[in-house]
Amino acid sequence: MKSNYLSQICFIAFVLVNTQTFSQGIIFRQDDWQNVLNQAKAQNKLIFVDIYTTWCRPCKEMDKKTFSEASVGDKFNAKFINYKIDAEKGFGVTLARRYNITSYPTCLFVDATENLVYKQEGYLGPVDLSKEADLVLLNQSDAKPIYVLDKTYNEGKRDPEFLYEYIAKRSRYNLDNMNLVEEYVKELTPIQHSADKTLRLIVNNGFKIDGKAFEILLKYREKAEGLFEGGTEKVNQAFSTSINEFFYQAIETKNTKLFEKALQANLRALPNSADRVNDKNKLTFYLAIKDIPKFVDAAEVYLDQYVMFVQVESIRKQDMWEYEKMMQAYQLGIKDSVGVGAPLYQNIKKNGKYTLARLTANELNDVVKAFYEQVDNTAKLEKAIPWIQRAIELVQNPDYFHSYAQLMLKMGNKQKALDIEQKAYELALKEKIDTQKFTSALEKMK
C-alpha cells in the first residue's frame, strides 16, 4: 500500500511539473546555431528565431506578453525548434546580416538548411503570432513553399504563369506585391488585360499608380466591379489603397514629383472624392517640406471648404445617429455589454455621442497648432481663430484651449492668452488630466 501511495504521489508531481513546463510559453534553446540546425533536421522541424536587441522595447513586450502565453508555447514548443539571439552580440551579428534584419523585433522561420521560409518584422501579439505560425506550417506542407518560389524568382524566372503563382503565394502572407503585379501585366498580351483572372489579381494585390496595371484597371473598371460582391466599393478601395501608399511615400521622402503623381492619379481614379483627399494631403505635404506659404493657403482651402462648411448641429445629429445605431446592437442583445464586452460598451456610453465631433475638433486643432508654431504673419494667424473656436465649441478639451492660448500669445495678446490658458488648466483639473503642460505655459506667460 505504501509503495502504491508513493507511486501515486510521484505521478501527481510528474503531471504538475510537466503541466507547468508545458504551459510556460515558448521554450527557447540556448545553444550553438549548428546544433540548432542539427536538431531541426533530426526532428524534421522548422526553426523559429526571435532576433532582438537589449534596447528594443517591443522586443521586451513580446517576451512579456506574447512568448510567455501558454497557448503560444504549446504550439511553438510542439511544432518548432525555438531559438533566441541578440542581433548585436556574437553570432547574432552574423545572423542579422545574413537575413537582412533592419528592424526589431524580427521573427524568422528557417529550415534545417538555413533557407528563410518567412520573415515577420515588428511586434505581434499572441493571436497574430499563432496565425503567422499556422500560415508558415501550411506553406511548409505545400509542394512549392514560398522560399522555393523566392529562389526561382531571384534566378530570373518571369513568365506569367510563374508570376501569378508567386503573387498568389505571397498574398497569403500579406506581402507587398505592387511591383510583381506590374511585372505580371507587362508579360501579358493585350487581349489578356481584360481577363477576369488579370483584373482580380490587380484589385486584390495593389499596383503602382504610374504603371500599366493602373491603366488596365481604369480601362476595364466596370468589368472589374462586376467580378466582386460590392464591386464598386471594392475597386474604389483598391485605387484608394494604392494611391494612399504613394501619398505616404511622397510625404515621407518629401518627393514633390511623386506627390504630384499621386494627386493626378487620385483625380483620374476617384474623381468624386479626390478634391477633398488631395486638399487634405497638401496640408501634410507642404508642412513636411516646410513650404509654409503653401501650407497656409492649403489650410484655408481645406478647412474653410470642407471642415468649417459643416455646421455644428449637423455634426451633433450625425454623432447621435451613429451612437443610437451602436447602442441598438446592445439593446437587441446582438453585442455583449457585460464580461469581455463591458469595457467597449462603457467606452461607447461615455464617448460614442462625440465621435465625429472629436475627429473634426482634432483636425482643426492640429492645423492651429502648426499655425502658431510655424506662421508669423498676423493676418494669417487671425484666420486660425475661428478654427480653434469651432474645435472648442464641438468638444471642451484642455488641449484645444491651450492651442487657443498659444495662438493669442503668438499674436501678441498676452492677457487673453493667460485667461484662456487658465481655462485649460481648470478643465484639466476637473477632468483629472496631467496639468504640467498648462501650469508650465501659465508660468511662461506671467
Side-chain angles (χ1 to χ4, degrees), residues 260-365:
E260 291 294 336
K261 278 185 179 180
L263 293 175
Q264 292 304 313
N266 205 23
L267 286 169
R268 294 180 65 203
L270 301 165
N272 293 334
S273 60
D275 286 340
R276 178 167 186 162
V277 173
N278 284 357
D279 286 343
K280 184 172 183 178
N281 279 315
K282 286 175 185 177
L283 272 175
T284 308
F285 183 73
Y286 294 140
L287 186 59
I289 65 173
K290 301 296 182 185
D291 190 334
I292 302 307
K294 284 188 177 181
F295 165 72
V296 169
D297 291 343
E300 290 183 44
V301 170
Y302 177 71
L303 293 184
D304 290 342
Q305 188 169 338
Y306 301 108
V307 182
M308 297 292 286
F309 179 77
V310 183
Q311 298 301 307
V312 172
E313 188 58 33
S314 296
I315 294 173
R316 301 265 188 244
K317 286 181 179 179
Q318 179 68 21
D319 273 338
M320 187 54 66
W321 184 82
E322 293 288 351
Y323 173 75
E324 289 174 352
K325 183 179 176 182
M326 288 187 289
M327 293 303 292
Q328 188 177 40
Y330 290 101
Q331 293 164 359
L332 296 175
I334 297 171
K335 289 187 176 180
D336 181 23
S337 61
V338 296
V340 295
L344 177 60
Y345 174 70
Q346 293 301 327
N347 184 56
I348 291 172
K349 281 190 70 176
K350 182 180 179 181
N351 301 308
K353 296 177 183 178
Y354 312 103
T355 303
L356 182 58
R358 289 182 190 279
L359 288 172
T360 304
N362 280 336
E363 197 167 34
L364 289 162
N365 184 60

Side-chain angles (χ1 to χ4, degrees), residues 8-54:
Q8 290 177 341
I9 292 295
C10 290
F11 175 74
I12 292 171
F14 173 79
V15 169
L16 287 173
V17 169
N18 277 273
T19 300
Q20 286 180 320
T21 301
F22 201 60
S23 302
Q24 66 181 343
I26 297 179
I27 301 172
F28 288 99
R29 297 173 188 248
Q30 302 295 323
D31 205 344
D32 178 77
W33 177 244
Q34 189 57 53
N35 289 339
V36 172
L37 294 173
N38 293 339
Q39 290 167 6
K41 184 176 182 180
Q43 297 181 35
N44 193 28
K45 291 180 178 178
L46 293 176
I47 305 163
F48 171 68
V49 186
D50 170 43
I51 300 187
Y52 68 95
T53 65
T54 55

Side-chain angles (χ1 to χ4, degrees), residues 110-291:
V110 180
D111 70 10
T113 55
E114 299 186 277
N115 285 310
L116 177 61
V117 175
Y118 183 56
K119 178 165 74 171
Q120 170 64 48
E121 298 176 341
Y123 176 86
L124 287 176
V127 173
D128 289 332
L129 182 61
S130 291
K131 287 180 179 178
E132 297 295 317
D134 290 339
L135 275 173
V136 169
L137 292 169
L138 180 63
N139 177 65
Q140 191 63 13
S141 64
D142 196 331
K144 290 184 180 179
I146 195 168
Y147 68 85
V148 171
L149 298 182
D150 285 338
K151 183 178 179 182
T152 304
Y153 177 81
N154 291 332
E155 290 172 350
K157 191 172 179 62
R158 293 295 187 276
D159 62 84
E161 291 75 18
F162 166 75
L163 287 171
Y164 186 89
E165 180 186 17
Y166 189 36
I167 292 168
K169 190 66 63 69
R170 285 171 56 88
S171 69
R172 287 164 58 179
Y173 292 93
N174 295 318
L175 297 173
D176 180 12
N177 282 322
M178 281 187 177
N179 289 328
L180 287 172
V181 168
E182 191 63 22
E183 287 190 80
Y184 174 74
V185 298
K186 285 180 179 178
E187 296 295 326
L188 301 179
T189 63
I191 199 169
Q192 291 175 309
H193 290 168
S194 62
D196 291 0
K197 178 179 177 180
T198 304
L199 296 174
R200 284 184 180 277
L201 182 109
I202 293 172
V203 171
N204 286 330
N205 289 278
F207 41 87
K208 297 172 69 176
I209 62 172
D210 54 356
K212 186 178 284 292
F214 179 84
E215 299 299 332
I216 290 172
L217 190 56
L218 269 182
K219 184 176 181 179
Y220 299 107
R221 181 184 203 138
E222 187 174 344
K223 183 177 182 182
E225 291 173 350
L227 298 175
F228 302 93
E229 184 177 352
T232 300
E233 184 178 348
K234 176 84 172 177
V235 172
N236 283 346
Q237 187 58 51
F239 276 120
S240 179
T241 299
S242 294
I243 292 167
N244 285 339
E245 176 64 25
F246 279 78
F247 270 130
Y248 174 78
Q249 289 179 22
I251 291 166
E252 282 291 297
T253 59
K254 301 179 176 59
N255 187 324
T256 302
K257 287 185 178 180
L258 185 58
F259 184 70
E260 291 294 336
K261 278 185 179 180
L263 293 175
Q264 292 304 313
N266 205 23
L267 286 169
R268 294 180 65 203
L270 301 165
N272 293 334
S273 60
D275 286 340
R276 178 167 186 162
V277 173
N278 284 357
D279 286 343
K280 184 172 183 178
N281 279 315
K282 286 175 185 177
L283 272 175
T284 308
F285 183 73
Y286 294 140
L287 186 59
I289 65 173
K290 301 296 182 185
D291 190 334

